[in-house]
Amino acid sequence: MLKVGAHVSIAGGVDNAVENQLDIGGNCGQIFTHSPQVWDHGSIEDEEAAAFRDGTATSLEGPWVIHASYLVNLCTPKDGLREKSIDSMQQEVDAAEALGIDYVNVHLGAHTGAGVEGGIENAASALDELDVPEGVTVLVESDAGSGTKLGGQFEHLASVLEQSEQDLDVCLDTAHMFAAGYDLSSPEAVEATMAEFDDVVGFEHLECVHLNDSKHACGTNKDEHAHVGEGLIGAEGMRAFVNHDAIVDGEIPLVLETPTEDGKSFAWNVDRVQELRDDHDA
């Protein structure tokens, strides 16, 4: 079963995400529970949550992922920002439980002078403050690695998983990996990069992929997404990635965060991923 979908809007009610996903041909996906640029989470009405759960169970393969606010910084040495980040994450994992969502995805953030080791320690201890409901897993996302942001190296992800007392897993973003210097532009490069991930982190911790091509070259630390197969990762790299044994055998959900431009939107990219998988199977 190929699980592919996109990050869709919840405008008008979180239950609308189900229909929005179906409209683009997706069978799994991702949402924000509120504007990712503000701390205020608002509230999700019980009726909306029930309609979301029912619609998902009836119409989608799943899973869903909640993407945490962009304001969350788990690595920060600043007490005020740390507390806001922990509070925001607690609201996200609680929302996941209410919506029947398996995963909450979060970037580690920037250490802003605390250093790599200090930032990782801050992130692990912040995550340990959470009361994560049963059935919900926090995913740490790979990063493009610019400035003092952590998560660009597989070792950062592995260290947080090792140091935290939470049962954490990982979401890989193909554009972020590429920007951070992990080549995915050929079958050979995909094989080498995925082998390194398995060696450092382990495929058993891979639970989701943000499937995005990149508008910038490998190792530039520039995070700008392109349509699948039309960026600098390219069609051959994307084909090799979506058909990698770890993705296929693990039935890893592929969540698109691709742009809407050049007359192409999520629906085009969902079809493209299907074609790349079908090309391999043929």
Side-chain angles (χ1 to χ4, degrees):
M1 167 65 70
L2 174 59
K3 298 180 180 180
V4 60
H7 184 122
V8 295
S9 172
I10 65 164
V14 68
D15 50 313
N16 289 336
V18 176
E19 192 63 36
N20 292 338
Q21 195 64 248
L22 292 171
D23 285 346
I24 57 125
N27 59 14
C28 64
Q30 181 174 266
I31 58 171
F32 291 123
T33 60
H34 66 294
S35 169
Q37 306 291 355
V38 300
W39 289 111
D40 182 17
H41 281 242
S43 61
I44 298 173
E45 300 298 327
D46 291 344
E47 295 81 3
E48 291 177 43
F52 177 90
R53 294 192 304 269
D54 291 345
T56 296
T58 301
S59 304
L60 298 176
E61 176 69 22
W64 283 102
V65 181
I66 291 174
H67 196 302
S69 168
Y70 292 141
L71 300 179
V72 168
N73 186 348
L74 301 174
C75 294
T76 182
K78 300 176 182 178
D79 290 341
L81 179 55
R82 175 185 171 89
E83 290 308 311
K84 285 184 176 180
S85 298
I86 292 171
D87 179 66
S88 181
M89 284 296 295
Q90 186 63 55
Q91 292 186 66
E92 299 289 23
V93 296
D94 290 342
E97 180 183 38
L99 294 169
I101 291 178
D102 297 324
Y103 303 112
V104 173
N105 179 72
V106 65
H107 295 272
L108 291 176
H111 67 70
T112 61
V116 173
E117 290 186 6
I120 288 172
E121 290 174 2
N122 289 341
S125 62
L127 289 165
D128 287 347
E129 298 265 348
L130 300 177
D131 181 10
V132 181
E134 185 176 353
V136 177
T137 301
V138 174
L139 304 181
V140 180
E141 182 179 344
S142 61
D143 197 88
S146 60
T148 65
K149 290 181 179 179
L150 299 182
Q153 297 178 27
F154 293 155
E155 287 78 7
H156 297 167
L157 306 176
S159 292
V160 172
L161 267 60
E162 180 180 354
Q163 292 185 34
S164 175
E165 296 176 0
Q166 300 282 8
D167 186 13
L168 306 172
D169 285 313
V170 169
C171 172
L172 287 178
D173 185 307
T174 50
H176 295 173
M177 293 163 65
F178 193 67
Y182 295 101
D183 193 6
L184 295 168
S185 61
S186 69
E188 295 78 15
V190 168
E191 191 60 42
T193 291
M194 294 297 278
E196 183 173 353
F197 175 83
D198 189 30
D199 183 59
V200 175
V201 181
F203 287 143
E204 67 272 15
H205 289 295
L206 179 59
E207 292 293 336
C208 181
V209 165
H210 288 168
L211 192 70
N212 304 298
D213 212 323
S214 175
K215 292 185 178 180
H216 301 282
C218 184
T220 58
N221 302 122
K222 293 182 178 180
D223 177 20
E224 192 174 3
H225 300 174
H227 296 301
V228 171
E230 299 210 339
L232 292 177
I233 295 177
E236 289 307 305
M238 281 293 183
R239 179 181 291 108
F241 186 89
V242 301
N243 289 293
H244 190 278
D245 288 345
I247 303 300
V248 176
D249 295 344
E251 295 188 351
I252 304 300
L254 306 174
V255 178
L256 299 160
E257 299 173 324
T258 46
T260 298
E261 59 188 18
D262 303 326
K264 299 167 184 172
S265 58
F266 285 143
W268 185 92
N269 283 277
V270 167
D271 288 345
R272 184 68 170 128
V273 176
Q274 296 277 10
E275 290 170 4
L276 292 175
R277 179 67 71 84
D278 289 344
D279 285 349
H280 181 272
D281 291 341

